[in-house]
Amino acid sequence: MTGAALRTQRAAVGQGFSRRTLLRRGLGAALALWALEAVAGTIGFAWSAGKAGGGVVRIGAFHEFLAANGSLPVGDGFPVYVAEAKAFIVLIDPGRLGWVEGEDKTGDGRAVNVRALYQRCPHLGCKPNPCLEDFWIHCPCHQSRYDRLGTKVDGVRYGPAARSMDRFATRIDSDGVLFVDQTKLTLGPLPVALGMPGVIPPLVENGCA
């Protein structure tokens, strides 16, 4: 090549990205995506908490709850949906035959033997449904599945939700009446693998499939 041609080629603007520019832009995009997910998650939880309600809902005594849902195996620990509470009410230990007087601010419910699970799937907010065949809770939108106490089952085949179902605080007074406090919503814990402690196995495989 002639000297003039070489000088022209060196002076020309290079096409495409250098390796350094490509790495810098890739890292910037990854950080932006992470920040977007963090902000979206925070907004999503705040929106869910705001939509959860704003009061204390009376559910009633255990015998009233049994009578109102006589067609369902409530005493065996089947989760029952209560629209007024925007929650699934579930007896934790059926062997204890009822709720126990006390207050549970965390939503865990083991001390009072009842758990109130918020009606929204933690993934994208669809309303899941309890299955009579396996006693699990199934989300119809993206197939996230939870055991009867709302624990998210880990694994790809059990859906994309990143945590277990959220829980309301509960209180049982001296007359045995259950109240659900919609102003106190606790995030559900991380998923647990099937077969590990903390997950109640389904009564049957692939129930309500």
Side-chain angles (χ1 to χ4, degrees):
M1 298 178 71
T2 65
L6 286 171
R7 283 193 296 273
T8 301
Q9 190 175 36
R10 291 192 190 105
V13 178
Q15 298 297 316
F17 299 120
S18 68
R19 188 176 299 173
R20 179 177 297 176
T21 300
L22 186 61
L23 288 173
R24 187 182 298 121
R25 293 191 180 186
L27 181 60
L31 289 174
L33 180 61
W34 175 82
L36 179 63
E37 289 181 348
V39 171
T42 302
I43 292 174
F45 175 64
W47 180 79
S48 294
K51 293 289 184 179
V56 177
V57 178
R58 182 188 187 278
I59 304 298
F62 186 65
H63 66 87
E64 295 175 321
F65 191 64
L66 281 175
N69 298 281
S71 62
L72 297 172
V74 176
D76 295 328
F78 184 75
V80 174
Y81 179 63
V82 179
E84 295 80 3
K86 298 182 180 178
F88 297 94
I89 306 299
V90 56
L91 187 68
I92 293 180
D93 181 4
R96 296 175 73 177
L97 298 176
W99 303 323
V100 179
E101 180 183 350
E103 184 175 11
D104 179 63
K105 295 181 179 180
T106 67
D108 175 74
R110 296 182 192 278
V112 292
N113 202 32
V114 63
R115 186 173 290 175
L117 303 167
Y118 182 34
Q119 67 181 4
R120 296 175 61 87
C121 175
H123 181 226
L124 290 177
C126 296
K127 180 180 172 294
N129 302 299
C131 172
L132 272 170
E133 294 177 16
D134 61 11
F135 270 47
W136 273 21
I137 302 172
H138 300 240
C139 182
C141 294
H142 302 96
Q143 313 311 313
S144 289
R145 285 187 274 173
Y146 311 85
D147 74 7
R148 67 179 189 84
L149 296 182
T151 301
K152 171 66 174 63
V153 184
D154 198 15
V156 175
R157 64 176 292 204
Y158 299 111
R163 66 178 188 272
S164 300
M165 295 177 69
D166 302 332
R167 300 106 178 256
F168 285 123
T170 56
R171 176 174 61 86
I172 292 89
D173 68 13
S174 58
D175 294 323
V177 175
L178 169 64
F179 295 88
V180 172
D181 189 348
Q182 297 176 324
T183 68
K184 297 176 182 176
L185 183 69
T186 301
L187 284 175
L190 294 175
V192 180
L194 187 63
M196 297 295 290
V199 172
I200 301 173
L203 296 184
V204 299
E205 288 293 329
N206 302 314
C208 298

